[in-house]
Amino acid sequence: MIRLQNLRKNYTVQGKTVPALMGIDLTIEKGEIFGIIGHSGAGKSTLIRCINMLERPTSGHVIVDGVDLTTLDDRKLQEQRRQIGMIFQHFNLLSSATVAENVAFPLKLAKRPKAEIDKKVNELLTLVGLEAHRDKYPSQLSGGQKQRVGIARALASDPKVLLCDEATSALDPQTTNSILALLLDINRKLGLTIVLITHEMHVIRSICDRVGVIDGGVIVEEGKVLDVFLKPQHPTTREFVEQVADSAELREVVAHEKAAGDQTIVRITFLGEKTYQPILFQTMQETGTMFSILQGTISRMKDTPYGQLVVELSGNPEQNSRAIETLRQRGLEVEVM
């Protein structure tokens, strides 16, 4: 659906060339939710704006649904942009227009018939749960409601791709979750390809299928969210994972326990239905190994349940080794810390 090939973007600042993107190669499949995460200044906003050519790349190719946008003149590019919706961090609504008028705006620009516009606006307001607010103005709406208007407006032209530029960073956690749930619902109902940039790992973990980590204008890590979250390879990725994994607290606990004795400390990862099965208890009972849980969590990544436990094994070395091997044989990932 989206292919970026050797994408580069430079800016000129006080006569000097400043690179923002340095040879990005990325493929985003049709119908998936792809997250791009990075710190401020890493290049993620430039990257997403290059996808719809709001920023023209210095070099490289942006191919959306088989069309290379970098080769198009302004008129043809404008036509192709109708296939790419975009929502923004600060909503970008028309303050003097009602909710319905904001949603209708791109359709009026495209000179669609009034009856078609009214029908589409009604459908979209129902989709985003704002049918009762159609005659209100943006100043009368909450932040979450404003973003729902932005989503409805972005969907007005029936795009194949929806770009989300920090779409939840101005919202409180509860509202963020409701917007993420709406995006996931839209993805499933409409088969829409969604590209979402953020600096919050919680957002990536909640709805994304795959993720790319950008740092210094380069994609430093990419893969399925489960793989990247549970086995981060790059230091930048590990920083983001620590946002939701209490890693600093865990390091302190592990250091304290190691200082107290020579027990074996392991991190056990459960995926899918194994998350809810008593595999740990059964294994320790069978191997006669005593254990203490130092830290644990059960959560979901999009549709996949997962759990992680940090456990101190208090058996003798032979018992501990047998317990670890049995856990691995039963499909769990065990990391000796």
Side-chain angles (χ1 to χ4, degrees), residues 246-263:
D246 296 325
S247 296
E249 177 185 334
L250 173 60
R251 285 194 297 268
E252 185 177 328
V253 170
V254 170
H256 178 268
E257 292 302 315
K258 283 186 174 180
D262 58 357
Q263 296 94 335

Side-chain angles (χ1 to χ4, degrees), residues 36-329:
I36 298 170
I37 191 168
H39 293 298
S40 296
K44 58 187 186 295
S45 288
T46 301
L47 177 57
I48 203 169
R49 289 169 66 87
C50 281
I51 293 176
N52 63 359
M53 302 293 285
L54 287 177
E55 294 277 0
R56 279 199 171 266
T58 303
S59 62
H61 298 276
V62 177
I63 301 168
V64 179
D65 200 22
V67 178
D68 189 344
L69 302 187
T70 60
T71 66
L72 302 182
D73 59 30
D74 289 344
R75 183 182 63 81
K76 290 183 179 178
L77 179 58
Q78 189 64 33
E79 292 175 3
Q80 288 298 319
R81 277 207 185 112
R82 294 194 183 109
Q83 302 297 311
I84 306 173
M86 190 165 185
I87 58 176
F88 304 89
Q89 176 181 357
H90 297 296
F91 321 127
N92 290 11
L93 302 181
L94 301 170
S95 60
S96 60
T98 65
V99 166
E101 290 167 343
N102 266 282
V103 177
F105 184 68
L107 297 172
K108 289 180 179 177
L109 285 180
K111 298 181 179 179
R112 300 282 183 85
K114 184 179 185 305
E116 181 184 330
I117 292 175
D118 292 343
K119 182 175 183 290
K120 190 67 177 178
V121 169
N122 290 336
E123 289 175 356
L124 290 171
L125 291 180
T126 299
L127 178 66
V128 302
L130 289 179
E131 56 268 45
H133 301 276
R134 60 178 297 116
D135 296 321
K136 291 183 179 179
Y137 290 88
S139 61
Q140 298 172 289
L141 303 178
S142 68
Q145 289 169 335
K146 290 177 184 177
Q147 194 56 284
R148 286 172 183 267
V149 178
I151 293 170
R153 182 184 58 188
L155 297 176
S157 299
D158 295 319
K160 297 177 181 177
V161 175
L162 180 63
L163 306 180
C164 306
D165 188 358
E166 295 277 13
T168 60
S169 63
L171 305 175
D172 62 75
Q174 184 175 354
T175 306
T176 290
N177 289 338
S178 72
I179 294 298
L180 294 177
L182 174 60
L183 291 173
L184 184 56
D185 185 53
I186 289 169
N187 167 258
R188 287 170 171 165
K189 285 180 177 176
L190 305 181
L192 204 62
T193 303
I194 297 178
V195 183
L196 184 152
I197 70 167
T198 184
H199 60 273
E200 299 173 294
M201 196 65 190
H202 163 70
V203 172
I204 298 293
R205 186 179 68 174
S206 297
I207 67 169
C208 292
D209 300 296
R210 292 193 301 130
V211 60
V213 183
I214 188 169
D215 186 46
V218 177
I219 300 290
V220 295
E221 191 162 352
E222 178 195 347
K224 294 179 180 178
V225 172
L226 270 170
D227 295 336
V228 172
F229 183 83
L230 296 176
K231 301 176 185 178
Q233 302 298 311
H234 192 273
T236 299
T237 312
R238 288 195 286 269
E239 285 181 38
F240 284 115
V241 170
E242 286 181 4
Q243 290 180 356
V244 291
D246 296 325
S247 296
E249 177 185 334
L250 173 60
R251 285 194 297 268
E252 185 177 328
V253 170
V254 170
H256 178 268
E257 292 302 315
K258 283 186 174 180
D262 58 357
Q263 296 94 335
T264 300
I265 298 174
V266 297
R267 189 199 322 260
I268 306 169
T269 300
F270 306 75
L271 287 179
E273 290 307 310
K274 289 185 174 67
T275 304
Y276 306 114
Q277 296 171 0
I279 299 174
L280 175 62
F281 175 77
Q282 291 172 348
T283 299
M284 297 307 168
Q285 192 175 47
E286 291 171 10
T287 59
T289 307
M290 298 291 291
F291 70 98
S292 302
I293 296 175
L294 304 181
Q295 189 185 69
T297 184
I298 293 178
S299 189
R300 299 182 77 86
M301 277 187 232
K302 197 172 182 181
D303 299 322
T304 305
Y306 77 97
Q308 280 194 324
L309 294 178
V310 176
V311 174
E312 179 183 306
L313 305 181
S314 303
N316 61 49
E318 182 180 343
Q319 286 175 315
N320 291 348
S321 295
R322 190 163 71 252
I324 290 170
E325 182 59 30
T326 302
L327 288 170
R328 287 171 174 162
Q329 289 173 356

Side-chain angles (χ1 to χ4, degrees), residues 1-2 27-34 192-194 210:
M1 169 56 78
I2 300 173
T27 298
I28 298 169
E29 302 295 340
K30 182 178 181 180
E32 76 173 339
I33 303 179
F34 191 93
L192 204 62
T193 303
I194 297 178
R210 292 193 301 130

